[in-house]
Amino acid sequence: MEGTNTFQTIDEYILQFPDEVQKILQALRKVIKAAAPDASEKISYQMPTFALHGNLVHFAAYKNHIGFYPTPSGIKAFEDALSDFKRSKGAVQFPLSKPIPYDVISEIVTFRVDQNIKKAEAKAKKK
């Protein structure tokens, strides 16, 4: 993430980047919205975040990559699909020099939506 600005909206966040990165971030946002139409947008940890019964995914732009943060469960469930990318327990890096795998991102977001809904339903049953 460039600079140390404080952002209130995802639009503000995206506008700080060069046009070519803005296009990727807008496409990523659109893919996430399509996979999680009921999710709300917010800034959390100074990153664009989508939430539905808790945080679903975060993303951020860096000098050479897009960071995507679908929690450790999202990374683990899609290990094979993400095998070509640098990743850690809860994050994956998509290099700006390669095509972004929007189809995989969509699948991960759908997976995370299902997880959060099931978790919320289980929590509601306990009450």
Side-chain angles (χ1 to χ4, degrees):
M1 290 177 296
E2 297 182 2
T4 55
N5 298 340
T6 300
F7 306 101
Q8 303 302 316
T9 67
I10 293 178
D11 287 325
E12 287 178 15
Y13 178 89
I14 290 173
L15 284 172
Q16 73 174 316
F17 295 98
D19 287 347
E20 61 275 7
V21 175
Q22 285 186 37
K23 287 177 186 155
I24 294 168
L25 294 173
Q26 289 289 12
L28 181 56
R29 181 186 197 183
K30 190 175 178 180
V31 165
I32 295 169
K33 275 185 177 181
D38 296 329
S40 60
E41 291 186 350
K42 64 180 183 176
I43 296 289
S44 184
Y45 305 106
Q46 283 303 297
M47 289 187 282
T49 302
F50 282 79
L52 181 69
H53 305 294
N55 289 341
L56 287 174
V57 297
H58 308 272
F59 63 89
Y62 298 90
K63 185 176 180 182
N64 297 311
H65 71 276
I66 300 294
F68 183 64
Y69 309 90
T71 75
S73 63
I75 297 292
K76 187 162 180 43
F78 291 86
E79 279 179 312
D80 290 344
L82 299 172
S83 63
D84 290 343
F85 302 99
K86 184 176 179 183
R87 59 195 189 286
S88 64
K89 184 177 174 184
V92 60
Q93 293 181 6
F94 300 120
L96 293 173
S97 59
K98 294 183 179 175
I100 305 293
Y102 295 113
D103 55 336
V104 174
I105 291 168
S106 178
E107 290 176 35
I108 294 171
V109 174
T110 301
F111 172 81
R112 291 286 300 123
V113 166
D114 291 343
Q115 268 194 324
N116 278 16
I117 288 172
K118 286 176 183 161
K119 196 164 136 185
E121 287 171 349
K123 200 174 189 180
K125 283 181 184 176
K126 285 184 180 179
K127 289 186 177 180

